[in-house]
Amino acid sequence: MPDGQETDQAPATARTRVGRPLLSLALASMMDEVHAHSGAVYLLAADEPVLEMAVMAGLPRAFSAPWERVGLGAPVPVADAVRERRLVWVGGEAEMARLYPRISVVLPYPFALAALPVATDSTAYGAIFVTWPGSHPPDLSERERTHLTAACGRLAARLARALQDSVPLLPEPDLLSTPSLAGAAGTLGTVESARMVARLPYGLCSLDLHGRICFANAAAAELIGAPVSELLGSLLWASVPWLNDPVYEDRYRAALLSQQSTSFVALRPPGDWLSFRLYPSTNGLSVRIARARAVAEMNRARRTPGEAPSRLVTISQLLSLAGALTEAVGVQDVVKLVADEIAPAVGSQALVVLGSRAGRLHVLGHHGYPDPRFVEQFNGLPLTERTPGTHALTTGVPAFFEDRQQLERLYPVREATPDGFAAWAYLPLIASGRPVGTVVLAYAEPHSFPADERAVLTSVGGLIAQALERAVLYDAKHHLAHGLQAALLPHSLPPLPGIEAAARYLPATQGMEIGGDFYDLVPVQGQAAAVIGDVQGHNVTAAGLMGQIRTAVRAYTTVGQPPEEVMRSTNRLLLDLGADLFASCLYLRLDPARGRAVMARAGHPPPLLRRPDGKVRVLDLAGGPLLGIDGAAVYQTTEVDLSPGSVLALYTDGLIESPGTDIEDALADLGTVLADAGDLPLDELADRLVESGALPRGRLDDVAVLLLRAER
């Protein structure tokens, strides 16, 4: 949403009881107006920043299984639409791959999509998306845009009235055609039409949107090798063992989503090749089945008897999780992603992520336990203890317990510490050939774990393990960087007579999160010295050099050097160190008794001065080049008035520089904030200035701010 815009979010519980299904009718009307063939309505959750799918139309909800619940910060169109308060348009397969690669991996089909916020001027209630077949033009027409925007506005207005009246909305079913299993006549028209189809020499099937068989003629039953009575009402790839392959179900999904005919060839054991041609419509598919010649290149490995591949929906969720886990940064990010995306998909209600340190169990994160104290009691447990968590972590062998009796039979100690759940899966996390932890999935009811589900959960453990290994390393680096930065910057600002001070430091959110920005405040013989600077780079070298410069400035100040000499001495020191890095610097000698300040500048952004009357001006001081360039450089000084009530704002370039932003405009904006908020307590003012320079996608550079106010 635009900066500075105050927006409330209405929870999904604020819904309206009406005589007709509000969401379903609004979605159906919108899709009809713009000739879309599928869509969904999301509502904001009541107690968390999450969008929950309320109604889907035109396609089975399984198509959107990975996005049933979407965090507002997730990189998906509906979240972007709500967060940025705009229409999001994805014009086709290539654009989806470019803008939303995680969705493209799961749904690599030609289709177009529009997502819009359902919101009034002040309140967001949710979002809607609609899709078109791949034949839709790459651009959204003005007519379509107008209809979609108006329809979302009308729905938002009705939800606003419902919220005002405090009347809940009843659950609504998804909008899908109801399959007819009454026979061929009900599916294909007249009885004579059904007889004609039955006489065709090739097979013909009719599938509903879920992929269930509504009709099959005799030729189709003969080719497939199953009687019509067994086929009706079943999924083609579930009822026929040699079609039980995600590749074939993928063709059905591709046909429905793109509304383009697709085909595939499958081998019916022992050696008959069959051709399947799928013709989609908005209420299902027609499938033509005929014999095909065997092609050597199409041969595939035979499955062992009884081996059943995973369902494609599960694979879709795994692909989505894999993409999400590549974006996880820290350990808690990994825990949250597993809790939000995998646990709901497999029916788990709670999870724990365990690791080890110094031969003891360590709880890295957990979710869903009513009493967190049950989980925390395992912190520090020796790995030699006989528990399912330690066993999975040390052996790398998964364990599945379908009920409490199974678990307590092997681990009787659990009888004394029940966690309130009824089934568990302990998944070892193996990365780089070694166990890095264990994920425990807990189920509220007894849960069987068939072979295919165990295989999927074990694969999930592998994905989580790789992400967790990266996350642990990142967290360690993150703590190291922040510890080093904290050690090099002053822990607190010393009290100064006649001067109030406040400072802020924020590391860059990209890269190592450690850099060369620094500040300091030094008491000196009834006066004070202030310095702020920036060593180029974001690494340990820059941070180390920054510490040396800060120490040198403090030393030169303490021995009584004037400002211009402090700058010259620091410049020579930097050259003598031979670091091949430059630094900007701004040095001030403050004399609050006289109400004056003497400044010297070395290539640093100009400070801002807010006078007691509230007017702000940029102090374009004379100065010299960056430190570390020219050993003979001279740094001129400038004396400025610092009357009581004046505020000096010193900062580094990370506060005002960003891609595509004009520096003069950024300075003007910063001056406006300082003018408007300059009378606030200095700590609040520092926060306000830092917030004014915040970027929507994070900081590319460090930010240091030092504020000085002459006391009245």
Side-chain angles (χ1 to χ4, degrees), residues 331-606:
V331 171
Q332 294 309 310
D333 295 330
V334 174
V335 174
K336 186 176 186 304
L337 279 168
V338 176
D340 290 347
E341 300 199 24
I342 275 295
V346 300
S348 170
Q349 283 72 48
L351 68 93
V352 184
V353 180
L354 303 172
S356 64
R357 186 167 56 225
R360 294 182 177 273
L361 206 62
H362 178 52
V363 178
L364 300 176
H366 58 85
H367 177 83
Y369 280 84
D371 187 357
R373 290 176 297 179
F374 174 83
V375 176
E376 298 300 336
Q377 68 178 320
F378 296 109
N379 257 329
L381 191 69
L383 294 182
T384 54
E385 288 284 335
R386 191 172 180 272
T387 69
T390 56
H391 185 266
L393 192 150
T394 55
T395 65
V397 178
F400 302 92
F401 302 96
E402 298 183 357
D403 54 41
R404 179 174 295 279
Q405 288 71 31
Q406 281 189 6
L407 180 63
E408 293 176 353
R409 188 162 53 247
L410 291 176
Y411 300 96
V413 69
R414 286 297 297 263
E415 295 183 29
T417 57
D419 60 4
F421 292 96
W424 301 264
Y426 288 81
L427 308 176
L429 305 180
I430 310 297
S432 304
R434 64 181 183 86
V436 297
T438 300
V439 165
V440 185
L441 298 174
Y443 299 76
E445 303 293 336
H447 184 87
S448 63
F449 296 95
D452 59 342
E453 183 173 345
R454 295 186 182 207
V456 169
L457 290 175
T458 303
S459 299
V460 168
L463 293 174
I464 299 171
Q466 295 177 41
L468 184 63
E469 185 180 43
R470 293 193 304 269
V472 169
L473 290 174
Y474 171 84
D475 282 350
K477 183 193 76 172
H478 180 79
H479 291 310
L480 174 63
H482 277 262
L484 176 59
Q485 193 83 55
L488 294 174
L489 291 172
H491 297 289
S492 61
L493 297 176
L496 300 174
I499 295 291
E500 182 185 357
R504 294 292 182 272
Y505 173 82
L506 297 175
T509 55
Q510 301 180 16
M512 192 175 177
E513 295 193 355
I514 184 171
D517 289 21
F518 68 95
Y519 60 86
D520 204 356
L521 205 56
V522 186
V524 52
Q525 299 176 356
Q527 298 183 350
V531 63
I532 190 167
D534 182 4
V535 179
Q536 67 178 127
H538 299 89
N539 50 42
V540 174
T541 302
L545 191 61
M546 173 266 283
Q548 291 175 297
I549 293 175
R550 176 177 164 247
T551 302
V553 169
R554 177 174 278 266
Y556 297 141
T557 300
T558 302
V559 299
Q561 288 189 358
E564 63 273 17
E565 192 58 37
V566 170
M567 295 292 275
R568 282 199 297 268
S569 299
T570 306
N571 180 48
R572 288 193 295 269
L573 172 67
L574 194 55
L575 287 166
D576 292 342
L577 291 173
D580 295 327
L581 293 177
F582 308 135
S584 69
C585 188
L586 179 65
Y587 182 87
L588 292 76
R589 188 64 58 83
L590 305 167
D591 189 350
R594 293 178 53 240
R596 310 297 292 173
V598 178
M599 307 183 186
R601 184 161 71 109
H604 198 80

Side-chain angles (χ1 to χ4, degrees), residues 164-367:
Q164 184 177 2
D165 296 339
S166 300
V167 186
L169 175 72
L170 297 175
E172 301 180 23
D174 290 343
L175 299 176
L176 285 174
S177 300
T178 302
S180 172
L181 303 179
T187 305
L188 300 174
T190 65
V191 173
E192 185 56 37
S193 298
R195 289 172 179 168
M196 179 191 70
V197 170
R199 292 192 294 267
L200 291 175
Y202 51 81
L204 188 65
C205 291
S206 176
L207 309 183
D208 68 7
L209 292 175
H210 288 285
R212 294 188 292 254
I213 301 173
C214 303
F215 168 79
N217 65 1
E222 181 181 353
L223 288 168
I224 292 174
V228 172
S229 59
E230 291 184 9
L231 294 176
L232 290 179
S234 68
L235 294 170
L236 185 58
W237 29 88
S239 59
V240 182
W242 48 273
L243 285 176
N244 197 351
D245 191 313
V247 172
Y248 304 141
E249 189 179 356
D250 176 62
R251 295 297 83 208
Y252 141 78
R253 291 161 59 89
L256 276 186
L257 197 53
S258 67
Q259 289 293 292
Q260 298 175 1
S261 61
T262 63
S263 63
F264 62 87
V265 178
L267 175 64
R268 174 188 168 183
D272 294 330
W273 287 91
L274 300 181
S275 169
F276 293 78
R277 185 78 180 175
L278 284 64
Y279 300 92
S281 70
T282 56
N283 57 10
L285 301 98
S286 297
V287 183
R288 184 184 186 276
I289 309 172
R291 296 188 183 277
R293 290 180 300 175
V295 182
E297 291 82 358
M298 300 170 66
N299 222 344
R300 62 179 70 222
R302 304 288 181 86
R303 297 189 182 277
T304 58
E307 181 185 1
S310 302
R311 307 305 309 143
L312 186 65
V313 169
T314 302
I315 289 176
S316 299
Q317 291 163 340
L318 286 177
L319 289 171
S320 177
L321 176 70
L325 287 174
T326 60
E327 301 170 7
V329 178
V331 171
Q332 294 309 310
D333 295 330
V334 174
V335 174
K336 186 176 186 304
L337 279 168
V338 176
D340 290 347
E341 300 199 24
I342 275 295
V346 300
S348 170
Q349 283 72 48
L351 68 93
V352 184
V353 180
L354 303 172
S356 64
R357 186 167 56 225
R360 294 182 177 273
L361 206 62
H362 178 52
V363 178
L364 300 176
H366 58 85
H367 177 83

